[in-house]
Amino acid sequence: MRCTASAAVSFSDLGTRHGAALPQEWRTVWRSAIENLRLDQLPQHNRWRAGQVLAHLAQHDSDTFESWFCRRTRSS
């Protein structure tokens, strides 16, 4: 799961210009990876990047952000 999460936060159209664009056909799999993202299981730089992605989602894709947040609060 850690590799999936690290890959999920790498795409450029999610709050940064760095990285490859997320292909539309990968969006469902990507969303699942984000919903299951656990910041405490990521390397430090990926944690920072995940924070950038989550901030972007909070502003531009609130449903995905809410799903991630709810899963984290239930698993704590």
Side-chain angles (χ1 to χ4, degrees):
M1 184 63 70
R2 191 163 117 173
C3 291
T4 305
S6 290
V9 300
S10 313
F11 293 98
S12 65
D13 50 348
L14 305 165
T16 185
R17 295 178 309 220
H18 305 289
L22 178 65
Q24 190 61 38
E25 60 270 14
W26 294 4
R27 190 99 182 145
T28 301
V29 174
W30 171 85
R31 185 170 193 232
S32 177
I34 291 295
E35 289 170 346
N36 292 298
L37 177 72
R38 294 188 54 110
L39 297 174
D40 60 333
Q41 295 179 351
L42 294 174
Q44 184 175 355
H45 177 75
N46 287 349
R47 268 186 242 149
W48 175 85
R49 179 67 185 115
Q52 299 294 308
V53 170
L54 291 170
H56 178 82
L57 291 174
Q59 292 181 347
H60 302 284
D61 186 352
S62 58
D63 290 340
T64 300
F65 179 81
E66 179 183 17
S67 181
W68 170 82
F69 184 81
C70 289
R71 285 179 189 230
R72 294 293 57 85
T73 56
R74 282 186 290 215
S75 68
S76 298

